[in-house]
């Protein structure tokens, strides 16, 4: 095969407690990444869809964050419980999960309802 | 702003010496990631182009590996010396650097001139 049909990046960034911005992972490992990877494999999509760990995706106030390329669909507040829906709806059926999608006014916004003005961005 | 204009993922995966597959990074940190990030910032593109660390991108025999989305352009054997050309040609001018592009017959191939048949894939 050639390029991945979809490439899923899961933020696994960890910051020490008390940092200016929150972390997407509590340990730098990410059970979310493991759950997504296992679910994609179980669905028989392991060779066409890659689930990757990523460093900070810069949407920290919305984490845990996941982005799916090439369509550039961004998800926030993703938990292990959301994995079956992301896999069946988005990765298999091609319908992004709207309830998890980061709002346009929030994505990369300097200030939004979830990101106070004084946060220092990485 | 909304979505990143381009999102660059740099494999920073490190394996112990003697592992079945090679590593893209010698230390898990990646001076390549740092150099790309700094060059993008220096070009004034820091808010529209994100340079991210990534875990194993599964092109280990071609590493160090970089992938640029949403266009899904894959580069192999990337060094710090290649950073200025990637930034000026691809990220600014929109012309992928052909000499660094992973050949179609190599990308995700089970076997290719760079990937022997007996390699165990992650």
């Amino acid at each position: 095969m050639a390029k991945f049909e979809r490439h899923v990046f899961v933020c696994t960034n960890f910051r020490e407690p008390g940092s200016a911005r929150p972390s997407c992972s509590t340990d730098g490992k990410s059970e979310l990444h493991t759950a997504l990877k296992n679910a994609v494999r179980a669905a028989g999509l392991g060779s066409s869809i890659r689930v990757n760990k990523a460093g900070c995706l810069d949407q920290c106030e919305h984490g845990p964050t996941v982005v799916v390329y090439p369509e550039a669909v961004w998800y926030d507040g993703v938990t292990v419980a959301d994995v079956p829906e992301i896999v069946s709806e988005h990765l298999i059926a091609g319908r992004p999960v709207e309830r998890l999608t980061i709002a346009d006014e929030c994505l990369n916004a300097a200030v939004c309802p979830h990101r106070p003005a004084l946060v220092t961005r990485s």
Side-chain angles (χ1 to χ4, degrees), chain A:
Chain A
M1 59 162 290
K3 295 177 181 180
F4 297 122
E5 186 178 327
R6 289 195 170 91
H7 204 158
V8 182
F9 293 90
V10 180
C11 181
T12 63
N13 197 43
F14 168 73
R15 293 189 176 94
E16 294 297 332
S19 298
R21 303 187 75 187
S23 298
C24 280
S25 165
T26 56
D27 58 4
K29 293 177 183 169
S30 178
E31 63 175 352
L32 175 60
H33 169 264
T34 303
L36 263 169
K37 191 162 186 167
N38 289 343
V40 163
R41 282 182 175 168
L45 302 169
S47 62
S48 60
I49 296 179
R50 177 82 178 168
V51 180
N52 248 101
K53 291 183 179 178
C56 177
L57 295 168
D58 204 24
Q59 316 300 322
C60 314
E61 291 72 23
H62 300 85
T65 307
V66 172
V67 60
V68 182
Y69 282 105
E71 56 264 65
V73 167
W74 287 80
Y75 292 129
D76 66 1
V78 184
T79 71
V80 169
D82 299 317
V83 166
E85 187 176 358
I86 291 172
V87 172
S88 64
E89 284 298 301
H90 187 168
L91 303 183
I92 294 177
R95 297 184 292 262
V97 181
E98 284 193 25
R99 71 176 180 83
L100 296 172
T101 305
I102 300 183
D104 284 347
E105 63 268 28
C106 288
L107 191 63
N108 288 318
V111 180
C112 79
H114 312 90
R115 175 179 285 175
L118 295 179
V119 162
T120 302
R121 302 185 72 180
S122 69

